[in-house]
């Protein structure tokens, strides 16, 4: 399998590029808004020291991105691929956050569409781990066709274990929905 966990992806709205160490300050400027994290299991990720840990995990994952709005070059947020499982033909998409300036304007859908379209060239299933209290993300994922398949405890990089819902999008359903 030739699944590159950090391709550069773009459409008419956004550009998704591999995250680099020098992106920290620009990404933290977006992440430092407490309202982004209010429904997230790790509500204090807006704090610099907590975000530093998140960013370190993103860099070590070798699957993380910074997302730019194409026509303004403003930082929209971040996402990543992780847990590539060739045997199960699956990959997880997550750790996504979008700045409030871009909420409700199609940026999250554009991001997930790019990432899903790319992933489904290589795998049959995309997994999303979503905090049990993160209703915004649950609803957004369901709009994309994701179906809740289980509930698990997840230990985010260097953070305490939190209750998460596991959603799945299957290639066949995605392809059917897109066409």
């Amino acid at each position: 399998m030739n699944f590159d966990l950090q391709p550069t992806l773009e459409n008419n709205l956004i550009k998704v590029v591999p995250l680099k160490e020098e992106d920290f300050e620009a990404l933290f400027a977006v992440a430092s808004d407490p309202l982004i994290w209010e429904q997230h299991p790790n509500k204090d990720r807006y704090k610099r020291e907590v975000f530093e840990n998140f960013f370190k995990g993103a860099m070590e994952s070798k699957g993380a991105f910074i997302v730019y709005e194409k026509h303004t070059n403003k930082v929209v947020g971040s996402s990543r691929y992780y847990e590539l499982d060739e045997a199960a033909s699956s990959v997880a998409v997550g750790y996504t956050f979008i700045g409030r300036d871009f909420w409700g304007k199609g940026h999250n859908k554009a991001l997930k569409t790019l990432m899903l379209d790319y992933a489904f060239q290589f795998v049959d299933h995309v997994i999303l781990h979503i905090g049990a209290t993160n209703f915004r993300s649950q609803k957004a994922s369901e709009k994309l066709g994701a179906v809740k398949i289980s509930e698990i405890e997840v230990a985010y990089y260097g953070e305490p274990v939190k209750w998460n819902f596991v959603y799945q999008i299957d290639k066949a359903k995605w392809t059917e929905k897109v066409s």
Side-chain angles (χ1 to χ4, degrees):
M1 181 183 302
N2 292 328
F3 194 123
D4 176 2
L5 290 176
Q6 281 187 306
T8 296
L9 306 170
E10 62 183 285
N11 59 25
N12 61 344
L13 186 60
I14 60 171
K15 185 170 185 177
V16 180
V17 298
L19 187 66
K20 300 181 297 296
E21 288 287 346
E22 54 267 25
D23 295 328
F24 178 84
E25 291 299 336
L27 198 56
F28 179 66
V30 174
S32 63
D33 178 353
L35 290 178
I36 290 175
W37 308 103
E38 88 181 323
Q39 291 186 14
H40 193 274
N42 304 76
K43 297 181 184 338
D44 58 354
R45 216 177 257 164
Y46 67 91
K47 296 176 182 173
R48 185 175 201 75
E49 64 278 5
V50 177
F51 189 76
E52 285 171 349
N53 180 66
F54 172 84
F55 191 85
K56 184 175 188 244
M59 291 304 301
E60 288 180 13
S61 78
K62 304 208 181 317
F65 302 99
I66 188 167
V67 181
Y68 296 97
E69 186 175 50
K70 223 167 153 180
H71 72 277
T72 64
N73 214 34
K74 288 183 180 174
V75 176
V76 172
S78 182
S79 192
R80 73 178 91 155
Y81 290 117
Y82 62 103
E83 293 183 7
L84 177 62
D85 183 338
E86 291 185 33
S89 190
S90 68
V91 69
V93 169
Y95 292 91
T96 306
F97 69 91
I98 304 288
R100 280 195 298 146
D101 289 350
F102 304 100
W103 287 7
K105 297 179 180 173
H107 293 74
N108 185 52
K109 183 177 181 185
L111 171 60
K112 292 296 187 339
T113 298
L114 279 172
M115 292 181 75
L116 290 166
D117 284 346
Y118 177 78
F120 285 135
Q121 295 175 54
F122 306 97
V123 298
D124 294 327
H125 314 284
V126 170
I127 305 298
L128 303 111
H129 299 107
I130 302 173
T133 59
N134 194 340
F135 306 113
R136 279 192 300 258
S137 291
Q138 292 168 25
K139 187 174 180 179
S141 296
E142 288 166 359
K143 282 182 180 177
L144 290 171
V147 175
K148 182 180 166 188
I149 59 169
S150 69
E151 299 180 13
I152 61 170
E153 288 185 320
V154 173
Y156 294 104
Y157 182 91
E159 296 176 346
V161 171
K162 301 288 183 174
W163 198 247
N164 276 245
F165 295 162
V166 179
Y167 282 80
Q168 181 171 300
I169 302 173
D170 296 322
K171 180 179 184 175
K173 290 273 189 192
W174 181 255
T175 306
E176 179 182 297
K177 186 176 178 164
V178 173
S179 50

